RNA sequence: GGCCCCAUCGUCUAGCCCGGUCUAGGACACCUCCCUUUCACGGAGGUAACACGGGUUCAAAUCCCGUUGGGGUCACCA
């Protein structure tokens, strides 16, 4: 179970200026870390996300495959944080997704320390703390003439891109100008503190990418231009950091999303220039929404925008989002509402937010092993018509040769079905344990209102109709409401009590229940079945439905005997009386019954 | 648009590499019926796909070419 203990960045980070400046680049020692290779043929994979509070399901699958591949072969799995983007520094302190990884059962041998995972002697596992290392290798490249300083401003580059576009040509950075600047001039400009990046001098010639999943592809000569490997702020770009770290950390297999496929060419030329080994690559197919759009954390906001636009909503309902935030959000389509705000707004709009992050699925009552199982099925399958398996099986069986090349659409219905199956396969005791844990973390009000024995009864009555751990809490709110505050669905009252003639049976049942001495599910069952035998030709529904409506406010609840038993006699009688009064107040006749609006 | 990749039921996929056993298998969803105190579960059936066009071959979902369609990528983001 995840706790409130947010993973935090390790203390003692060097300040950026301290190690990212031009000076430190020039004076950096030539340290070429040689990793202590444990065994020569150990398989090492890594998951290398940028910092974030939440783990996206796509990232979760990448991590799962990397983990399974290495662990199933006696290898190591590394977690590395790619925090080289200072513009996202507000997020960089947030590596909350570590708890999501733990929850899924994906542990890492090396990386940030969290729970029992992490550590390792090839750190830091935060790229922002490895600037000295990158600078060392950057210097090598510059000294060898394989990289050079470039002083173009973003505006100049932008203009060049625009011009190329206007001409209808694909834009490629033309490096000759920058490369022809005299060494002394470069030195002088650097001393003056001019903003500069380092670009890699990409060799000409086609580049052949070998991929274990996609096969091989040839990128024609000239496609890869002189890309930036060190930004003006002194941080390396992704391409450079990834290549250096994978080498130094001994990564043998790189499993990552297919969107990185074209980047591989850049990484390969860099590896050649640096004299590095080349890992084996496997690019995983992407995961999409059912409608074919890319699954994104912005999907929640997208849905809320549509819902509020449909309702022509000009301001947020009271108590959901404050006016300023709402206005800003309406004005900026790329802005994301804070999660709590988004959830309050969704609740008041009556829409439910799509689950995108691993934590969303956890909160919706999905089991971690089911999520892993299902995620693995998106892009991979073990064959033999086998679909249900655990992570241990995945470890043993996962292989790159069975990864498909086509993108998958994430099918929530199938996930739900899998979760239901897993829940049904449990014993009552197992289910109760999980239900209690879920209730404690997501629905504390249930746990305080219900006694232990009431909760156990509810769990056992809900088990067989639960598709998620969330269902029993979502469907049975009526149990914990004060009797006088129970909302009634008037359509049900009208249909079952008024026009359906349930009122009489309800009244009769009330009298019998009031006299019942042993208030437990079994006794209630005896009583009601006896009543049905004698009065409704054995049709239990004739009395069960009126009771259900009276006691729950609607037509859906756990088995009526359990429901009444959990509620207790005084609540049951009070609610029946309320329902009876309500029914008596309704105008008779079919017209009234069919067109009355719902109350409350 | 340039470059790269991909293409089996609505969806996830098996089969393809090593052509015949594929009148294409499974799962989810959907439809019908059964069970039933509501909801759900469960049981029994059913609808449903090799994108298209050319080759190669005695024989192609499987090999080749093209077309169409989809995706990825073209940042001082990763």
């Amino acid at each position: 179970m995840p706790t409130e203990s947010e993973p935090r960045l390790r203390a003692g980070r060097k300040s950026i200026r301290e190690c990212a400046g031009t000076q430190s680049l020039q004076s950096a020692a030539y340290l070429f870390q040689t990793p202590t290779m444990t065994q020569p043929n150990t398989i090492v994979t890594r998951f290398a996300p940028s910092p974030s509070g939440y783990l996206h399901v796509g990232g979760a699958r990448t991590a799962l495959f990397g983990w399974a591949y290495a662990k199933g072969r006696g290898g190591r799995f590394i977690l590395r944080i790619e925090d080289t983007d200072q513009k996202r520094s507000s997020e960089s302190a947030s590596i909350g997704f570590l708890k999501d990884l733990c929850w899924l059962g994906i542990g890492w041998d090396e990386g940030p320390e969290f729970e029992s995972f992490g550590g390792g002697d090839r750190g830091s596992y935060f790229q922002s703390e490895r600037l000295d290392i990158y600078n060392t290798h950057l210097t090598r490249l510059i000294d060898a003439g394989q990289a050079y300083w470039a002083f173009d401003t973003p505006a100049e580059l932008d203009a060049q891109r625009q011009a190329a576009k206007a001409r209808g040509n694909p834009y490629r950075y033309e490096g000759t100008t920058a490369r022809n600047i005299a060494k002394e001039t470069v030195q002088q400009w650097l001393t003056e503190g001019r903003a500069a990046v380092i670009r890699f001098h990409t060799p000409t010639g086609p580049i052949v990418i070998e991929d274990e999943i996609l096969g091989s592809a040839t990128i024609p000569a000239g496609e890869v231009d002189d890309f930036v490997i060190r930004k003006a702020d002194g941080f390396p770009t992704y391409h450079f950091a990834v290549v250096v770290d994978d080498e130094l950390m001994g990564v043998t297999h790189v499993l990552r999303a297919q969107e990185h496929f074209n980047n591989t060419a850049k990484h390969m030329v860099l590896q050649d220039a640096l004299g590095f080994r080349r890992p084996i690559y496997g690019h995983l197919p992407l995961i999409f929404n059912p409608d074919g759009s890319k699954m994104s954390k912005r999907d929640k906001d997208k849905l809320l925008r549509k819902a509020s636009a449909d309702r022509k909503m000009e301001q947020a309902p009271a108590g959901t989002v404050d006016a300023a935030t709402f206005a800003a959000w309406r004005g900026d389509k790329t802005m994301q509402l804070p999660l709590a705000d988004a959830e309050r707004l969704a609740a008041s709009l009556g829409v439910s937010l799509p689950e995108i992050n691993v934590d969303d699925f956890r909160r919706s009552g999905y089991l971690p092993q089911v999520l892993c199982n299902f995620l693995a099925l998106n892009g991979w399958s073990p064959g033999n018509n086998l679909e249900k398996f655990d992570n241990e099986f995945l470890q043993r069986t996962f292989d790159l040769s069975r990864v498909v090349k086509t993108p998958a659409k994430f099918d929530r219905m199938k996930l739900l079905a899998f979760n239901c199956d897993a829940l049904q396969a449990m014993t009552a005791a197992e289910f109760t344990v999980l239900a209690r844990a879920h209730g404690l973390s997501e629905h504390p009000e249930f746990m305080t209102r219900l006694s232990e024995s009431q909760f156990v009864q509810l769990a056992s009555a809900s088990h067989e109709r639960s598709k998620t751990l969330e269902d029993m809490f979502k469907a049975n709110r009526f149990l914990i409401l004060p009797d006088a505050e129970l909302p009634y669905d008037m359509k049900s009252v009208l249909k079952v009590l008024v026009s359906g003639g349930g009122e009489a049976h309800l009244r009769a049942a009330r009298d019998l229940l009031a006299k019942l001495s042993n208030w437990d599910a079994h006794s209630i069952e005896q009583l009601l079945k006896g009543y049905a035998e004698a009065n409704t030709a054995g049709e239990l529904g004739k009395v069960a439905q009126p009771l259900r409506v009276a006691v729950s406010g609607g037509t859906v609840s756990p088995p009526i005997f359990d429901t009444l038993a959990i509620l207790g006699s005084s609540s049951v009688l009070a609610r029946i009386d309320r329902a009876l009064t309500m029914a008596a107040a309704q105008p008779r006749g079919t017209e009234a019954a069919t067109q009355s609006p719902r109350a409350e």
Side-chain angles (χ1 to χ4, degrees):
Chain A
M1 270 289 116
T3 62
E4 67 295 332
S5 62
E6 280 288 299
R8 55 194 166 63
L9 294 183
R10 311 227 309 300
R13 295 181 96 158
K14 283 178 196 151
S15 88
I16 288 153
R17 261 175 216 87
E18 194 183 329
C19 53
T22 311
Q23 288 78 6
S24 82
L25 167 62
Q26 288 163 338
S27 62
Y30 188 91
L31 67 152
F32 191 81
Q33 275 190 2
T34 312
T36 45
M37 287 304 276
T38 40
Q39 277 124 42
N41 295 316
T42 304
I43 289 192
V44 180
T45 61
R46 46 65 167 184
F47 177 52
S50 44
S52 162
Y54 299 99
L55 180 64
H56 185 272
V57 289
R61 194 202 51 181
T62 302
L64 181 65
F65 284 171
W67 171 85
Y69 191 84
K71 303 308 283 178
R73 290 169 174 72
R76 295 198 321 275
F77 178 59
I78 299 178
L79 179 61
R80 183 176 68 222
I81 311 299
E82 312 232 317
D83 55 349
T84 55
D85 184 6
Q86 292 192 82
K87 285 187 211 79
R88 294 194 204 166
S89 59
S90 59
E91 292 172 43
S92 70
S94 177
I95 46 175
F97 68 84
L98 297 191
K99 70 180 188 313
D100 298 329
L101 243 21
C102 288
W103 182 72
L104 289 171
I106 303 172
W108 53 101
D109 302 298
E110 293 177 38
E113 291 178 31
F114 182 70
E115 306 269 298
S116 59
F117 304 116
D121 55 8
R122 290 151 216 251
S124 166
Y125 296 92
F126 290 88
Q127 290 187 328
S128 61
E129 298 179 351
R130 300 171 62 81
L131 265 23
D132 285 346
I133 298 169
Y134 305 129
N135 284 339
T136 301
H137 294 284
L138 248 3
T139 306
R140 285 172 58 209
L141 250 24
I142 288 197
D143 290 349
Q146 289 170 302
Y148 57 92
W149 290 98
F151 298 85
D152 317 77
T153 66
E156 286 167 352
L157 293 174
D158 217 52
Q160 285 169 28
R161 265 189 280 269
Q162 293 302 331
K165 198 176 172 188
R167 270 181 270 116
N169 296 337
Y171 172 74
R172 296 283 120 80
Y173 180 79
E174 181 45 70
T176 44
T177 315
R179 271 183 267 123
N180 285 337
I181 300 172
K183 263 206 168 91
E184 299 70 38
T185 314
V186 168
Q187 211 46 247
Q188 188 192 330
W189 285 355
L190 252 20
T191 315
E192 287 169 9
R194 280 210 206 185
V197 301
I198 296 178
R199 284 179 183 268
F200 180 66
H201 189 183
T202 303
T204 51
I207 305 167
V208 178
I209 302 174
E210 299 284 353
D211 186 281
E212 287 295 298
I213 295 165
L214 262 14
S216 69
T218 304
I219 309 295
E223 276 300 313
V224 179
D225 66 2
D226 288 2
F227 53 99
V228 174
I229 53 180
R230 185 212 206 235
K231 298 180 262 186
D233 64 9
F235 278 65
T237 58
Y238 162 71
H239 305 298
F240 192 75
V242 89
V243 161
V244 170
D245 289 345
D246 282 346
E247 165 72 19
L248 265 31
M249 294 178 182
V251 172
T252 60
H253 292 68
V254 173
L255 266 36
R256 46 153 58 151
Q258 237 170 60
E259 59 195 4
H260 286 299
F261 186 74
N262 290 284
N263 291 152
T264 309
K266 293 179 180 172
H267 302 169
M268 288 171 56
V269 290
L270 236 23
Q271 283 153 353
D272 289 348
L274 257 6
F276 290 166
R277 297 160 293 185
R278 183 164 295 159
I280 290 165
Y281 288 99
H283 288 91
L284 307 168
L286 268 17
I287 298 179
F288 290 113
N289 282 317
D291 68 0
S293 64
K294 202 169 166 184
M295 212 172 175
S296 149
K297 47 191 169 186
R298 295 197 206 290
D299 288 350
K300 293 183 189 180
D301 292 78
K302 209 160 92 185
L303 185 112
L304 289 173
R305 284 200 162 84
K306 189 179 182 309
S308 50
D310 286 351
R311 264 154 259 219
K312 305 205 167 30
M313 190 189 287
E314 289 310 318
Q315 47 201 172
T320 56
V321 182
D322 74 74
T325 307
F326 187 77
W329 177 74
R330 285 302 292 268
D332 177 5
K333 288 219 184 311
T334 65
M335 180 179 161
Q336 286 178 252
L337 239 29
L339 188 58
D341 285 5
E343 284 174 350
R344 279 193 299 270
L345 183 58
S348 88
L349 287 169
V351 297
S352 54
L353 262 21
E355 294 102 348
I356 303 290
N357 298 317
V358 168
D359 195 57
D360 297 334
F361 289 98
R362 197 208 96 234
R363 297 202 306 151
S364 291
Y366 287 89
L367 267 19
Q369 60 270 34
V370 171
L371 225 205
C372 284
N373 183 176
F374 183 70
L375 244 20
L377 247 20
N378 276 253
W380 178 82
S381 79
N384 290 116
N385 289 342
L386 193 79
E387 287 198 303
K388 303 280 178 65
F389 49 79
D390 57 16
N391 281 357
E392 195 271 325
F393 174 89
L394 220 214
Q395 262 191 27
R396 280 198 335 261
T397 326
F398 180 74
D399 186 53
L400 263 22
S401 69
R402 292 193 68 88
V403 175
V404 301
K405 304 175 178 184
T406 50
K409 289 173 186 162
F410 194 84
D411 182 358
R412 284 188 177 72
M413 293 305 279
K414 186 159 179 170
L415 204 214
L416 224 210
F418 271 39
N419 205 62
C420 178
D421 291 347
L423 252 21
Q424 300 317 315
M426 285 176 185
T427 64
E430 289 167 336
F431 177 79
T432 304
V433 168
L434 292 177
R436 182 181 291 111
H438 187 75
L440 250 17
S441 83
E442 308 304 314
H443 302 281
E445 71 283 5
F446 257 89
M447 312 313 285
T448 50
R449 286 287 176 75
L450 262 33
S451 71
E452 174 62 16
S453 82
Q454 281 178 306
F455 179 76
V456 171
Q457 275 188 82
L458 174 61
S460 93
S462 304
H463 186 181
E464 69 174 357
R465 70 206 75 243
S466 286
K467 294 187 174 187
T468 69
L469 294 175
E470 182 73 1
D471 289 352
M472 62 181 270
F473 299 99
K474 215 164 46 191
N476 298 312
R477 277 226 96 69
F478 69 90
L479 285 176
I480 61 166
L481 293 173
D483 299 332
E485 289 171 25
L486 177 72
Y488 282 89
D489 169 33
M490 286 319 282
K491 230 172 96 190
S492 302
V493 170
L494 257 10
K495 184 175 162 219
V496 177
L497 295 182
V498 183
S499 55
E503 202 180 338
H505 292 305
L506 181 59
R507 186 161 282 125
R510 192 222 182 273
D511 293 339
L512 291 174
L513 286 167
K515 283 180 273 182
L516 186 64
S517 48
N518 293 322
W519 194 269
D520 58 67
H522 181 71
S523 305
I524 295 170
E525 179 170 358
Q526 299 290 112
L527 180 84
L528 294 180
K529 283 194 169 158
Y531 176 83
E533 285 302 321
N535 302 287
T536 66
E539 282 188 76
L540 191 55
K542 286 266 197 286
V543 61
Q545 275 310 81
L547 274 167
R548 186 154 5 239
V549 170
V551 125
S552 76
T555 53
V556 178
S557 87
I560 195 65
F561 320 120
D562 296 305
T563 304
L564 299 187
I566 294 168
L567 222 32
S569 82
S570 70
S571 267
V572 166
L573 297 178
R575 290 179 184 201
I576 291 176
D577 291 340
R578 245 192 99 196
L580 249 15
T581 310
M582 200 174 312
Q586 294 304 316
R588 303 289 127 158
T590 46
E591 304 84 30
T594 49
Q595 36 184 264
S596 261
R598 29 170 69 215
E600 292 172 277

